[in-house]
Amino acid sequence: MSAAPTLLLCSETDDLGDLRPAFEQAAAERCPGLRVALWPEVAAGAAEVVALASWFAPLGLPAALPGLRLIASIGAGAEHVLRDPGLPAGVPVTRIVDEQQARGMAEFVLWAALYYHRGLDRVQQQQPRGVWRMPPQRPAAQTRVGVMGLGTMGAEVARCLAGHGFEVHGWSRRGHAIEGVRTWAGDVQLEDFLRPLDIVVSLLPLTEHTRGLCNARWFARLKPGAAFINCGRGEQVVLPDLLEALERGQLGGAVLDVFEHEPLPPVHPLWHTPRLLVTPHMASSVSPEAMARQIVGDTARVLAGLAPVHAVDRARGY
Ligand code: NDP
């Protein structure tokens, strides 16, 4: 086995083989001498692994790689890396930060907001009954959309919705100023942020604070009949509470793009729940080339003794 410094692509849930050519290309351009391997070609204990690029790697694997200098999530969220209780201290964890992915997210959320704003949800319910009834139409400025999370994704989404004329509100942990968006911060402002919204979008990372955030109490704070678009993470939603809110009409409808267990099993009741649209974690992805460029670039930095550009705050959880 070669002892060349190695970047290991690893997932327990997905086949990452298709990513390899992009990583090899990026390594040739940005980090000559860096070898790219696909788990389990390189086993635990291999000292040549300097970077792990992962999506749900086996728990304990990072701790078993003694030469590890970087742990990179191949997605925008890093919760699947940070869930490992044995993560070696002092090894930086990065995530994907990509403007093109944020623009893709803005497209998806704009579509979902328009779906409710223009009454396409109602039209879809009418169709099986052969009902020809135009939903009421109103200007976008009369529809209030709230975005939870104003990071790379949420800020772009908020700007896009504001640009399309919606009344946009944004909520985050710390305060942010975004032109055309009324912003709110922290748990103390959550209730006031939620109350007037017609549509609420989650673009929060999964952390110990956001896990289970959308529970019965949260749904009760929404304006009756509001719609919910979840593009954050499935674990942020207490599903029985969401279903109960839908059943009662407290929640008018939901687009769910992310789930605690993905793929959602074919027999799952969510597939057949009225007024609920299931989408297969498709809101926005990063291209293999952009992903590889960023992760190999950060690998080159750590090998040169520099901090990676896209590090997450391990203590904060995002
Ligand atoms: P960022 O880290 O850039 O932004 C996270 C935002 O969430 C920040 O504004 C942060 O606040 C806010 N936040 C975090 N914790 C809290 C809290 N407890 N209360 C209020 N606000 C909080 O992440 P991204 O925007 O890049 O991505 C967000 C998430 O979107 C990802 O973690 C992932 O789960 C999901 N995602 C889903 C995709 C899909 O296809 N469905 C694609 C890409 C991302 P502050 O700014 O104050 O720190």
Side-chain angles (χ1 to χ4, degrees):
M1 182 183 291
S2 158
T6 299
L7 181 150
L8 179 61
L9 283 164
C10 176
S11 173
E12 257 189 332
T13 57
D14 291 55
D15 179 1
L16 304 188
D18 287 353
L19 298 176
R20 191 177 197 152
F23 274 82
E24 285 173 342
Q25 178 73 30
E29 288 167 8
R30 294 173 177 235
C31 196
L34 182 70
R35 174 177 166 247
V36 178
L38 187 63
W39 183 80
E41 286 169 8
V42 174
E48 66 269 27
V49 177
V50 292
L52 180 66
S54 73
W55 180 255
F56 289 94
L59 293 175
L61 179 64
L65 296 169
L68 202 58
R69 308 275 292 276
L70 180 77
I71 307 170
S73 163
I74 63 165
E79 78 289 344
H80 61 93
V81 174
L82 300 175
R83 84 200 153 114
D84 187 338
L87 213 57
V91 179
V93 175
T94 60
R95 68 183 190 96
I96 295 296
V97 180
D98 185 63
E99 280 177 22
Q100 189 57 47
Q101 185 179 20
R103 283 195 284 275
M105 182 61 78
E107 283 179 2
F108 183 89
V109 175
L110 176 63
W111 157 77
L114 288 169
Y115 174 75
Y116 290 112
H117 168 66
R118 292 302 310 268
L120 287 156
D121 57 327
R122 297 183 207 186
V123 168
Q124 202 173 29
Q125 290 158 39
Q126 288 171 189
Q127 184 164 330
R129 292 177 282 123
V131 175
W132 179 280
R133 188 185 302 135
M134 274 195 228
Q137 190 175 343
R138 57 184 182 173
Q142 289 176 20
T143 294
R144 295 192 180 108
V145 190
V147 181
M148 300 199 302
L150 294 174
T152 309
M153 300 293 141
E156 182 67 21
V157 165
R159 279 191 290 268
C160 170
L161 293 169
H164 278 79
F166 288 102
E167 180 181 320
V168 183
H169 297 244
W171 180 73
S172 55
R173 210 167 55 87
R174 302 163 292 185
H176 288 274
I178 302 175
E179 199 180 332
V181 178
R182 177 159 183 204
T183 54
W184 308 75
D187 294 343
V188 288
Q189 295 197 333
L190 180 60
E191 192 164 351
D192 289 341
F193 158 77
L194 288 175
R195 198 182 301 117
L197 302 177
D198 299 297
I199 301 169
V200 57
V201 184
S202 175
L203 281 164
L204 291 167
L206 179 62
T207 68
E208 60 178 282
H209 292 110
T210 64
R211 183 180 296 275
L213 176 76
C214 305
N215 56 19
R217 188 154 172 251
W218 185 89
F219 287 113
R221 288 166 163 179
L222 298 181
K223 182 165 146 182
F228 177 43
I229 300 164
N230 189 19
C231 295
R233 283 291 179 260
E235 292 90 332
Q236 288 158 5
V237 179
V238 179
L239 273 181
D241 294 356
L242 176 141
L243 293 173
E244 213 256 333
L246 262 180
E247 178 75 27
R248 282 192 296 113
Q250 170 65 11
L251 192 61
V255 174
L256 302 183
D257 186 55
V258 282
F259 303 89
E260 183 170 357
H261 301 291
E262 296 181 1
L264 193 66
V267 293
H268 202 286
L270 283 182
W271 289 111
H272 308 289
T273 303
R275 289 179 289 120
L276 195 149
L277 204 53
V278 169
T279 57
H281 201 143
M282 59 174 276
S284 193
S285 52
V286 61
S287 73
E289 292 73 24
M291 176 200 296
R293 272 197 304 273
Q294 184 188 301
I295 293 175
V296 170
D298 274 336
T299 304
R301 285 180 64 88
V302 296
L303 292 179
L306 301 169
V309 177
H310 308 93
V312 300
D313 181 332
R314 284 175 57 162
R316 203 175 57 182
Y318 68 97

mmCIF file of all heavy atoms in Angstrom, residues 148-183:
data_model
loop_
_atom_site.group_PDB
_atom_site.id
_atom_site.type_symbol
_atom_site.label_atom_id
_atom_site.label_comp_id
_atom_site.label_asym_id
_atom_site.label_seq_id
_atom_site.Cartn_x
_atom_site.Cartn_y
_atom_site.Cartn_z
ATOM 1 N N MET A 148 -36.224 30.468 8.996
ATOM 2 C CA MET A 148 -35.477 30.146 10.220
ATOM 3 C C MET A 148 -34.075 29.703 9.814
ATOM 4 O O MET A 148 -33.922 28.716 9.093
ATOM 5 C CB MET A 148 -36.164 29.019 10.995
ATOM 6 C CG MET A 148 -37.572 29.363 11.421
ATOM 7 S SD MET A 148 -38.156 28.290 12.775
ATOM 8 C CE MET A 148 -38.001 26.698 12.029
ATOM 9 N N GLY A 149 -33.073 30.455 10.275
ATOM 10 C CA GLY A 149 -31.693 30.204 9.854
ATOM 11 C C GLY A 149 -31.344 31.181 8.755
ATOM 12 O O GLY A 149 -31.974 31.192 7.697
ATOM 13 N N LEU A 150 -30.363 32.035 9.034
ATOM 14 C CA LEU A 150 -29.981 33.073 8.063
ATOM 15 C C LEU A 150 -28.505 32.937 7.710
ATOM 16 O O LEU A 150 -27.773 33.923 7.642
ATOM 17 C CB LEU A 150 -30.277 34.463 8.637
ATOM 18 C CG LEU A 150 -31.771 34.756 8.851
ATOM 19 C CD1 LEU A 150 -31.957 36.101 9.560
ATOM 20 C CD2 LEU A 150 -32.536 34.749 7.524
ATOM 21 N N GLY A 151 -28.073 31.688 7.517
ATOM 22 C CA GLY A 151 -26.688 31.442 7.141
ATOM 23 C C GLY A 151 -26.539 31.468 5.633
ATOM 24 O O GLY A 151 -27.241 32.199 4.923
ATOM 25 N N THR A 152 -25.617 30.649 5.127
ATOM 26 C CA THR A 152 -25.348 30.615 3.677
ATOM 27 C C THR A 152 -26.650 30.371 2.903
ATOM 28 O O THR A 152 -26.930 31.039 1.905
ATOM 29 C CB THR A 152 -24.335 29.499 3.356
ATOM 30 O OG1 THR A 152 -23.214 29.652 4.224
ATOM 31 C CG2 THR A 152 -23.874 29.567 1.915
ATOM 32 N N MET A 153 -27.438 29.408 3.357
ATOM 33 C CA MET A 153 -28.686 29.073 2.657
ATOM 34 C C MET A 153 -29.783 30.097 2.954
ATOM 35 O O MET A 153 -30.394 30.659 2.050
ATOM 36 C CB MET A 153 -29.197 27.681 3.087
ATOM 37 C CG MET A 153 -28.258 26.560 2.806
ATOM 38 S SD MET A 153 -28.059 26.304 1.042
ATOM 39 C CE MET A 153 -26.325 25.939 0.990
ATOM 40 N N GLY A 154 -30.044 30.294 4.251
ATOM 41 C CA GLY A 154 -31.197 31.108 4.651
ATOM 42 C C GLY A 154 -31.111 32.544 4.170
ATOM 43 O O GLY A 154 -32.121 33.120 3.738
ATOM 44 N N ALA A 155 -29.920 33.140 4.218
ATOM 45 C CA ALA A 155 -29.789 34.540 3.799
ATOM 46 C C ALA A 155 -30.099 34.674 2.306
ATOM 47 O O ALA A 155 -30.779 35.614 1.874
ATOM 48 C CB ALA A 155 -28.389 35.060 4.123
ATOM 49 N N GLU A 156 -29.604 33.714 1.508
ATOM 50 C CA GLU A 156 -29.853 33.761 0.060
ATOM 51 C C GLU A 156 -31.353 33.568 -0.232
ATOM 52 O O GLU A 156 -31.931 34.250 -1.081
ATOM 53 C CB GLU A 156 -29.027 32.669 -0.635
ATOM 54 C CG GLU A 156 -29.134 32.624 -2.145
ATOM 55 C CD GLU A 156 -28.534 33.831 -2.851
ATOM 56 O OE1 GLU A 156 -27.690 34.520 -2.250
ATOM 57 O OE2 GLU A 156 -28.939 34.081 -4.012
ATOM 58 N N VAL A 157 -31.958 32.643 0.509
ATOM 59 C CA VAL A 157 -33.395 32.395 0.340
ATOM 60 C C VAL A 157 -34.194 33.649 0.707
ATOM 61 O O VAL A 157 -35.107 34.058 -0.025
ATOM 62 C CB VAL A 157 -33.829 31.188 1.217
ATOM 63 C CG1 VAL A 157 -35.340 31.118 1.366
ATOM 64 C CG2 VAL A 157 -33.282 29.889 0.629
ATOM 65 N N ALA A 158 -33.841 34.266 1.830
ATOM 66 C CA ALA A 158 -34.567 35.457 2.280
ATOM 67 C C ALA A 158 -34.456 36.579 1.239
ATOM 68 O O ALA A 158 -35.443 37.237 0.905
ATOM 69 C CB ALA A 158 -34.026 35.917 3.631
ATOM 70 N N ARG A 159 -33.251 36.779 0.708
ATOM 71 C CA ARG A 159 -33.060 37.824 -0.313
ATOM 72 C C ARG A 159 -33.876 37.513 -1.568
ATOM 73 O O ARG A 159 -34.502 38.401 -2.156
ATOM 74 C CB ARG A 159 -31.579 37.941 -0.693
ATOM 75 C CG ARG A 159 -30.749 38.757 0.292
ATOM 76 C CD ARG A 159 -29.361 39.061 -0.279
ATOM 77 N NE ARG A 159 -28.558 37.860 -0.339
ATOM 78 C CZ ARG A 159 -27.739 37.456 0.622
ATOM 79 N NH1 ARG A 159 -27.580 38.189 1.702
ATOM 80 N NH2 ARG A 159 -27.039 36.345 0.496
ATOM 81 N N CYS A 160 -33.886 36.263 -1.962
ATOM 82 C CA CYS A 160 -34.618 35.863 -3.169
ATOM 83 C C CYS A 160 -36.121 36.094 -2.986
ATOM 84 O O CYS A 160 -36.788 36.650 -3.873
ATOM 85 C CB CYS A 160 -34.318 34.392 -3.468
ATOM 86 S SG CYS A 160 -35.353 33.683 -4.745
ATOM 87 N N LEU A 161 -36.651 35.683 -1.832
ATOM 88 C CA LEU A 161 -38.093 35.851 -1.587
ATOM 89 C C LEU A 161 -38.457 37.338 -1.533
ATOM 90 O O LEU A 161 -39.483 37.765 -2.077
ATOM 91 C CB LEU A 161 -38.490 35.173 -0.273
ATOM 92 C CG LEU A 161 -38.387 33.640 -0.248
ATOM 93 C CD1 LEU A 161 -38.536 33.129 1.191
ATOM 94 C CD2 LEU A 161 -39.446 33.002 -1.149
ATOM 95 N N ALA A 162 -37.582 38.126 -0.891
ATOM 96 C CA ALA A 162 -37.834 39.572 -0.818
ATOM 97 C C ALA A 162 -37.801 40.164 -2.223
ATOM 98 O O ALA A 162 -38.623 41.026 -2.576
ATOM 99 C CB ALA A 162 -36.802 40.248 0.086
ATOM 100 N N GLY A 163 -36.866 39.687 -3.046
ATOM 101 C CA GLY A 163 -36.763 40.166 -4.428
ATOM 102 C C GLY A 163 -38.003 39.844 -5.246
ATOM 103 O O GLY A 163 -38.295 40.532 -6.229
ATOM 104 N N HIS A 164 -38.726 38.794 -4.866
ATOM 105 C CA HIS A 164 -39.966 38.443 -5.566
ATOM 106 C C HIS A 164 -41.186 39.112 -4.934
ATOM 107 O O HIS A 164 -42.311 38.782 -5.292
ATOM 108 C CB HIS A 164 -40.142 36.923 -5.617
ATOM 109 C CG HIS A 164 -39.345 36.306 -6.733
ATOM 110 N ND1 HIS A 164 -37.989 36.085 -6.638
ATOM 111 C CD2 HIS A 164 -39.704 35.920 -7.971
ATOM 112 C CE1 HIS A 164 -37.561 35.567 -7.778
ATOM 113 N NE2 HIS A 164 -38.575 35.464 -8.600
ATOM 114 N N GLY A 165 -40.948 39.996 -3.990
ATOM 115 C CA GLY A 165 -42.036 40.818 -3.475
ATOM 116 C C GLY A 165 -42.706 40.307 -2.221
ATOM 117 O O GLY A 165 -43.620 40.964 -1.700
ATOM 118 N N PHE A 166 -42.290 39.146 -1.696
ATOM 119 C CA PHE A 166 -42.897 38.652 -0.458
ATOM 120 C C PHE A 166 -42.497 39.546 0.715
ATOM 121 O O PHE A 166 -41.443 40.187 0.691
ATOM 122 C CB PHE A 166 -42.425 37.214 -0.154
ATOM 123 C CG PHE A 166 -43.016 36.173 -1.063
ATOM 124 C CD1 PHE A 166 -42.276 35.645 -2.117
ATOM 125 C CD2 PHE A 166 -44.308 35.719 -0.870
ATOM 126 C CE1 PHE A 166 -42.811 34.676 -2.954
ATOM 127 C CE2 PHE A 166 -44.860 34.750 -1.707
ATOM 128 C CZ PHE A 166 -44.113 34.238 -2.751
ATOM 129 N N GLU A 167 -43.337 39.559 1.759
ATOM 130 C CA GLU A 167 -42.916 40.181 3.016
ATOM 131 C C GLU A 167 -42.097 39.130 3.754
ATOM 132 O O GLU A 167 -42.630 38.084 4.146
ATOM 133 C CB GLU A 167 -44.122 40.610 3.854
ATOM 134 C CG GLU A 167 -43.682 41.252 5.160
ATOM 135 C CD GLU A 167 -44.832 41.686 6.046
ATOM 136 O OE1 GLU A 167 -45.844 42.209 5.526
ATOM 137 O OE2 GLU A 167 -44.721 41.489 7.270
ATOM 138 N N VAL A 168 -40.824 39.390 3.931
ATOM 139 C CA VAL A 168 -39.931 38.344 4.444
ATOM 140 C C VAL A 168 -39.427 38.692 5.844
ATOM 141 O O VAL A 168 -39.000 39.815 6.116
ATOM 142 C CB VAL A 168 -38.727 38.120 3.492
ATOM 143 C CG1 VAL A 168 -37.845 36.976 3.997
ATOM 144 C CG2 VAL A 168 -39.220 37.799 2.090
ATOM 145 N N HIS A 169 -39.499 37.675 6.713
ATOM 146 C CA HIS A 169 -38.969 37.766 8.070
ATOM 147 C C HIS A 169 -37.903 36.684 8.217
ATOM 148 O O HIS A 169 -38.039 35.601 7.646
ATOM 149 C CB HIS A 169 -40.079 37.535 9.099
ATOM 150 C CG HIS A 169 -41.152 38.571 9.047
ATOM 151 N ND1 HIS A 169 -41.420 39.429 10.084
ATOM 152 C CD2 HIS A 169 -42.024 38.890 8.050
ATOM 153 C CE1 HIS A 169 -42.412 40.242 9.733
ATOM 154 N NE2 HIS A 169 -42.793 39.930 8.504
ATOM 155 N N GLY A 170 -36.859 36.988 8.978
ATOM 156 C CA GLY A 170 -35.795 35.992 9.160
ATOM 157 C C GLY A 170 -35.461 35.861 10.634
ATOM 158 O O GLY A 170 -35.472 36.849 11.377
ATOM 159 N N TRP A 171 -35.158 34.629 11.048
ATOM 160 C CA TRP A 171 -34.838 34.360 12.456
ATOM 161 C C TRP A 171 -33.538 33.581 12.544
ATOM 162 O O TRP A 171 -33.319 32.643 11.767
ATOM 163 C CB TRP A 171 -35.971 33.557 13.087
ATOM 164 C CG TRP A 171 -35.781 33.210 14.537
ATOM 165 C CD1 TRP A 171 -35.874 34.063 15.606
ATOM 166 C CD2 TRP A 171 -35.480 31.914 15.083
ATOM 167 N NE1 TRP A 171 -35.645 33.376 16.777
ATOM 168 C CE2 TRP A 171 -35.403 32.057 16.487
ATOM 169 C CE3 TRP A 171 -35.258 30.663 14.520
ATOM 170 C CZ2 TRP A 171 -35.130 30.986 17.336
ATOM 171 C CZ3 TRP A 171 -34.979 29.585 15.368
ATOM 172 C CH2 TRP A 171 -34.920 29.757 16.762
ATOM 173 N N SER A 172 -32.685 33.992 13.466
ATOM 174 C CA SER A 172 -31.404 33.293 13.640
ATOM 175 C C SER A 172 -31.004 33.381 15.110
ATOM 176 O O SER A 172 -31.743 33.950 15.923
ATOM 177 C CB SER A 172 -30.322 33.917 12.750
ATOM 178 O OG SER A 172 -30.238 35.294 13.027
ATOM 179 N N ARG A 173 -29.847 32.825 15.435
ATOM 180 C CA ARG A 173 -29.397 32.846 16.833
ATOM 181 C C ARG A 173 -28.928 34.256 17.195
ATOM 182 O O ARG A 173 -29.344 34.834 18.173
ATOM 183 C CB ARG A 173 -28.245 31.843 16.983
ATOM 184 C CG ARG A 173 -28.115 31.210 18.339
ATOM 185 C CD ARG A 173 -27.168 30.039 18.243
ATOM 186 N NE ARG A 173 -25.892 30.444 17.686
ATOM 187 C CZ ARG A 173 -24.870 30.928 18.387
ATOM 188 N NH1 ARG A 173 -24.982 31.064 19.699
ATOM 189 N NH2 ARG A 173 -23.744 31.269 17.801
ATOM 190 N N ARG A 174 -28.053 34.806 16.324
ATOM 191 C CA ARG A 174 -27.569 36.175 16.530
ATOM 192 C C ARG A 174 -28.288 37.085 15.550
ATOM 193 O O ARG A 174 -28.874 36.602 14.575
ATOM 194 C CB ARG A 174 -26.060 36.238 16.269
ATOM 195 C CG ARG A 174 -25.267 35.294 17.151
ATOM 196 C CD ARG A 174 -23.880 35.059 16.612
ATOM 197 N NE ARG A 174 -23.896 34.301 15.370
ATOM 198 C CZ ARG A 174 -22.801 33.867 14.741
ATOM 199 N NH1 ARG A 174 -21.624 34.144 15.217
ATOM 200 N NH2 ARG A 174 -22.896 33.170 13.627
ATOM 201 N N GLY A 175 -28.223 38.371 15.785
ATOM 202 C CA GLY A 175 -28.909 39.316 14.899
ATOM 203 C C GLY A 175 -28.210 39.450 13.550
ATOM 204 O O GLY A 175 -26.993 39.312 13.458
ATOM 205 N N HIS A 176 -28.983 39.668 12.486
ATOM 206 C CA HIS A 176 -28.423 39.876 11.150
ATOM 207 C C HIS A 176 -29.172 41.029 10.493
ATOM 208 O O HIS A 176 -30.355 41.223 10.757
ATOM 209 C CB HIS A 176 -28.620 38.640 10.267
ATOM 210 C CG HIS A 176 -27.755 37.484 10.645
ATOM 211 N ND1 HIS A 176 -26.478 37.325 10.177
ATOM 212 C CD2 HIS A 176 -27.985 36.431 11.465
ATOM 213 C CE1 HIS A 176 -25.954 36.220 10.697
ATOM 214 N NE2 HIS A 176 -26.854 35.658 11.477
ATOM 215 N N ALA A 177 -28.488 41.744 9.615
ATOM 216 C CA ALA A 177 -29.161 42.780 8.833
ATOM 217 C C ALA A 177 -29.168 42.332 7.375
ATOM 218 O O ALA A 177 -28.108 42.117 6.787
ATOM 219 C CB ALA A 177 -28.430 44.111 8.985
ATOM 220 N N ILE A 178 -30.347 42.149 6.815
ATOM 221 C CA ILE A 178 -30.469 41.765 5.406
ATOM 222 C C ILE A 178 -31.467 42.728 4.776
ATOM 223 O O ILE A 178 -32.607 42.857 5.267
ATOM 224 C CB ILE A 178 -30.968 40.308 5.247
ATOM 225 C CG1 ILE A 178 -30.021 39.330 5.958
ATOM 226 C CG2 ILE A 178 -31.115 39.936 3.779
ATOM 227 C CD1 ILE A 178 -30.494 37.894 5.967
ATOM 228 N N GLU A 179 -31.036 43.386 3.727
ATOM 229 C CA GLU A 179 -31.880 44.402 3.103
ATOM 230 C C GLU A 179 -33.226 43.815 2.678
ATOM 231 O O GLU A 179 -33.291 42.740 2.074
ATOM 232 C CB GLU A 179 -31.166 44.984 1.882
ATOM 233 C CG GLU A 179 -31.747 46.315 1.466
ATOM 234 C CD GLU A 179 -31.037 46.880 0.246
ATOM 235 O OE1 GLU A 179 -29.849 46.579 0.043
ATOM 236 O OE2 GLU A 179 -31.717 47.623 -0.488
ATOM 237 N N GLY A 180 -34.287 44.474 3.042
ATOM 238 C CA GLY A 180 -35.621 44.031 2.634
ATOM 239 C C GLY A 180 -36.201 42.931 3.495
ATOM 240 O O GLY A 180 -37.273 42.404 3.201
ATOM 241 N N VAL A 181 -35.482 42.569 4.579
ATOM 242 C CA VAL A 181 -35.926 41.460 5.428
ATOM 243 C C VAL A 181 -36.005 41.951 6.871
ATOM 244 O O VAL A 181 -35.065 42.573 7.365
ATOM 245 C CB VAL A 181 -34.930 40.278 5.342
ATOM 246 C CG1 VAL A 181 -35.349 39.133 6.258
ATOM 247 C CG2 VAL A 181 -34.802 39.800 3.898
ATOM 248 N N ARG A 182 -37.127 41.658 7.539
ATOM 249 C CA ARG A 182 -37.197 42.009 8.961
ATOM 250 C C ARG A 182 -36.604 40.852 9.760
ATOM 251 O O ARG A 182 -37.058 39.713 9.626
ATOM 252 C CB ARG A 182 -38.654 42.247 9.371
ATOM 253 C CG ARG A 182 -38.746 42.536 10.837
ATOM 254 C CD ARG A 182 -39.986 43.253 11.258
ATOM 255 N NE ARG A 182 -39.909 43.525 12.669
ATOM 256 C CZ ARG A 182 -40.944 43.725 13.452
ATOM 257 N NH1 ARG A 182 -42.156 43.721 12.936
ATOM 258 N NH2 ARG A 182 -40.782 43.959 14.732
ATOM 259 N N THR A 183 -35.590 41.136 10.553
ATOM 260 C CA THR A 183 -34.896 40.037 11.220
ATOM 261 C C THR A 183 -35.187 39.999 12.721
ATOM 262 O O THR A 183 -35.422 41.023 13.359
ATOM 263 C CB THR A 183 -33.372 40.099 10.978
ATOM 264 O OG1 THR A 183 -32.887 41.376 11.357
ATOM 265 C CG2 THR A 183 -33.044 39.845 9.525
#
